[in-house]
Amino acid sequence: MDDISKQQPMDEKAIGTSNGSHAPEDALKQVGIVEPQIDPAKEKILLAKLDLFFVPIIMLVYLSCFLDRSNIGNVKVAGMPEDIGASNQQFSTAVSIFYATYVTFETPFAISLKKLTPRVLLTTLSVVWSLTTIFSGFIHSVGGLYASRLVLGACEAGLFPSLTLYITMIWRREEQAKRVAYLFSCTALSGAFGGLLAYALLQMDGVAGYAGWRWVYIIEGLFSMLIAVAVWFGLPTNPAEAWFLSDEQKHMMRIRDQQRIQYMGSDELDWQEVRIAFQDPKLYLSGAIQFCQDILLYGFSTFLPAILKAAKYNTLQSNYLTIPVYVFGAIAFLAAAVASDRLMIRSPFILFANIFGIVGYIVLLTVSTDGVRYFATFLCAVAVYNGPGMNVTWINVNVAPHYRRATTIGFQQTIANTAGIVAGQIYRTSPYKLGHSFSLGALCLAQVLIVVKMFYIRWWNTRKEKIARGEIPDTRKYKTGDRELDFKYHL
């Protein structure tokens, strides 16, 4: 191309081999190799086009996923446990049992994404969980509820890691937080949309002889089935060859891939990269942080209608009053993500957002005024979505190449999503003092772990700089991917 004007950051521009190694820039210059660049104005148009075509489908599929997962909170307040003869303990078990299969299959699905291809894997999972949701509207026993939750967990296990990895296949490191925010905002919007949809569908109580909660499952499952069709046609295996891109834009996508070959690595499965991922302290620190943040996410998103009902709102009010809370959480995360990408820092935004959550849970535990307690849920929402979403971005941008990142994302989510089991057990009975107290403690622990990981990341960046300047000996065990000297970790 002749539109060569944009200089890439040092940690994104490596030209290399498929295993992540690369020649020094000076060596490339000596042999006359000039790295192709992209006109910033044309790249801006390209990014807008990618957002226009990819983001809505990514958002819709995750929206449908979280909708089908969390609607159990909406049907609880509509009489579902009584209709199938489930006790409070059995219902809590049904919430938790979802995560038994969910955490089991996350890492295998993440590693196999490229082998199975995003289109085939994501579409298949979408179809199966859609059918499971529809059939959930016809259960008549606790055993049927348990079975549907286990199948749902197994199918949805592959979705979030796969969508997160798909984002890394399209956008640069400094472009990812905003796109992860779009993805995570669906967690919030599914709560808002789920509350609104449940409010409407519960009015169908008695239609065709079915209870309103059954219609919630049936209609939402049909909606997810439509999204599965969009996934098949809308998420190509190779984003750089997407049908909506012009020839020039496809060429720009290939240049972008070449500029970040160090980050992307090989398309061939390398078990050495899998082993390296499991030896990286970043994985376990990130997983522990995500576990703490997900206790909030799953407790809040699943039980917010019940929390509001405990604050003396009726069944319909406890559903539609969730909508502004979820929307506010989504907006807060999107604003933070835009700033995070611009500054290329991640952890300070998590620390700041968690302060709002700490205050919110303290208010829920200590204040009895209904209006004040409702306001506290808005404060909690800031931490509920910013914390886990920004932490996922933080690990995404700091692990390379692809299969090392796939393993890390998958296992981080495996660690983190065991929080769903905890959430189902701590939010048992009104007024949910145990759940709020546990969530508050998890937030405080997360703050400590975030600071520890910040110091670890800073230590590695400093160590690389000193090695590059020859000030200390190079004792790195691994020297490819994110361990290369010119790969700067985002703090």
Side-chain angles (χ1 to χ4, degrees):
M1 290 178 62
D2 57 1
D3 45 349
I4 299 176
S5 62
K6 183 176 179 181
Q7 183 66 32
Q8 300 301 320
M10 174 65 76
D11 61 351
E12 287 284 331
K13 69 181 182 180
I15 300 292
T17 63
S18 62
N19 65 5
S21 61
H22 65 283
E25 184 180 8
D26 289 343
L28 294 180
K29 290 179 179 179
Q30 290 173 8
V31 296
I33 298 176
V34 178
E35 180 185 348
Q37 303 295 319
I38 301 173
D39 181 353
K42 292 184 177 180
E43 186 171 35
K44 188 175 181 179
I45 295 172
L46 171 64
L47 290 174
K49 202 169 186 179
L50 294 173
D51 285 340
L52 178 64
F53 283 89
F54 283 135
V55 168
I57 297 175
I58 290 173
M59 290 181 68
L60 280 172
V61 67
Y62 197 58
L63 172 65
S64 68
C65 161
F66 216 86
L67 195 64
D68 292 343
R69 179 195 314 179
S70 60
N71 57 18
I72 193 170
N74 297 113
V75 300
K76 180 185 180 182
V77 298
M80 187 266 271
E82 293 79 7
D83 285 356
I84 66 172
S87 66
N88 285 337
Q89 177 58 51
Q90 288 172 324
F91 187 83
S92 294
T93 300
V95 173
S96 298
I97 203 173
F98 168 92
Y99 297 97
T101 49
Y102 191 87
V103 301
T104 301
F105 291 102
E106 284 181 298
T107 304
F109 276 136
I111 294 174
S112 62
L113 174 68
K114 280 194 173 182
K115 187 72 174 178
L116 298 176
T117 74
R119 169 178 285 171
V120 171
L121 177 61
L122 291 172
T123 303
T124 301
L125 293 176
S126 297
V127 168
V128 176
W129 89 58
S130 299
L131 291 173
T132 303
T133 302
I134 293 171
F135 293 148
S136 296
F138 300 95
I139 60 174
H140 292 278
S141 66
V142 175
L145 179 60
Y146 288 168
S148 67
R149 296 288 291 176
L150 285 170
V151 174
L152 202 63
C155 292
E156 294 192 8
L159 186 67
F160 183 78
S162 296
L163 289 177
T164 304
L165 283 169
Y166 199 75
I167 287 173
T168 69
M169 292 165 63
I170 303 172
W171 290 281
R172 300 182 194 275
R173 293 170 70 205
E174 68 272 17
E175 298 165 352
Q176 289 179 21
K178 185 166 71 171
R179 279 76 192 186
V180 172
Y182 293 145
L183 182 61
F184 250 88
S185 67
C186 293
T187 306
L189 293 177
S190 72
F193 183 60
L196 181 62
L197 188 58
Y199 176 79
L201 294 178
L202 288 175
Q203 310 306 308
M204 296 177 66
D205 189 45
V207 174
Y210 291 115
W213 66 265
R214 295 186 184 276
W215 284 112
V216 171
Y217 277 126
I218 295 168
I219 300 300
E220 291 184 1
L222 291 172
F223 169 75
S224 297
M225 188 64 74
L226 294 176
I227 303 304
V229 177
V231 171
W232 175 260
F233 290 104
L235 296 183
T237 295
N238 182 4
E241 297 297 327
W243 63 270
F244 57 81
L245 297 176
S246 67
D247 289 340
E248 183 183 31
Q249 288 170 336
K250 289 178 181 179
H251 184 58
M252 284 192 283
M253 288 291 287
R254 288 191 290 271
I255 293 175
R256 282 166 58 88
D257 287 345
Q258 183 66 18
Q259 288 170 339
R260 60 198 189 118
I261 190 68
Q262 177 190 40
Y263 179 69
M264 295 303 297
S266 172
D267 286 339
E268 297 299 320
L269 176 57
D270 185 348
W271 289 107
Q272 174 69 2
E273 295 296 347
V274 174
R275 288 190 290 271
I276 293 173
F278 281 115
Q279 297 171 28
D280 191 344
K282 296 198 302 295
L283 165 58
Y284 301 100
L285 284 169
S286 180
I289 295 167
Q290 196 74 5
F291 173 83
C292 294
Q293 303 284 171
D294 277 359
I295 286 177
L296 275 68
L297 178 65
Y298 293 132
F300 193 85
S301 60
T302 302
F303 292 99
L304 183 56
I307 292 169
L308 293 177
K309 193 172 184 180
K312 301 182 179 63
Y313 295 102
N314 64 37
T315 298
L316 295 180
Q317 288 174 327
S318 64
N319 273 299
Y320 69 70
L321 284 176
T322 63
I323 297 170
V325 179
Y326 290 129
V327 171
F328 178 77
I331 293 172
F333 183 23
L334 183 58
V338 171
S340 175
D341 273 345
R342 187 166 299 172
L343 299 173
M344 284 192 287
I345 56 175
R346 316 298 176 181
S347 51
F349 289 94
I350 312 175
L351 288 169
F352 182 65
N354 281 348
I355 293 173
F356 288 88
I358 290 171
V359 173
Y361 280 105
I362 289 175
V363 171
L364 287 175
L365 285 166
T366 58
V367 176
S368 58
T369 306
D370 292 345
V372 177
R373 287 167 60 83
Y374 181 53
F375 171 74
T377 63
F378 285 84
L379 298 179
C380 293
V382 176
V384 164
Y385 300 109
N386 266 283
M390 198 65 72
N391 189 52
V392 166
T393 303
W394 198 14
I395 197 67
N396 274 1
V397 300
N398 282 340
V399 179
H402 173 85
Y403 281 103
R404 196 182 305 182
R405 183 166 57 255
T407 306
T408 300
I409 291 173
F411 197 69
Q412 183 233 38
Q413 290 297 304
T414 295
I415 296 171
N417 284 315
T418 56
I421 301 173
V422 177
Q425 299 305 310
I426 61 178
Y427 279 95
R428 289 187 180 180
T429 56
S430 174
Y432 304 109
K433 293 286 187 182
L434 175 61
H436 298 332
S437 299
F438 209 98
S439 296
L440 177 60
L443 268 178
C444 294
L445 177 58
Q447 296 291 75
V448 175
L449 292 170
I450 291 164
V451 172
V452 170
K453 188 182 174 188
M454 287 175 66
F455 278 108
Y456 179 74
I457 292 292
R458 181 174 293 174
W459 174 78
W460 255 109
N461 280 339
T462 303
R463 181 186 178 192
K464 287 181 179 181
E465 291 171 1
K466 289 181 177 180
I467 292 173
R469 293 195 298 265
E471 296 178 8
I472 60 174
D474 187 355
T475 58
R476 291 172 297 155
K477 184 177 180 180
Y478 303 108
K479 300 182 180 181
T480 60
D482 63 84
R483 291 298 173 90
E484 297 195 31
L485 295 181
D486 65 350
F487 190 105
K488 185 176 181 180
Y489 293 121
H490 289 189
L491 187 62

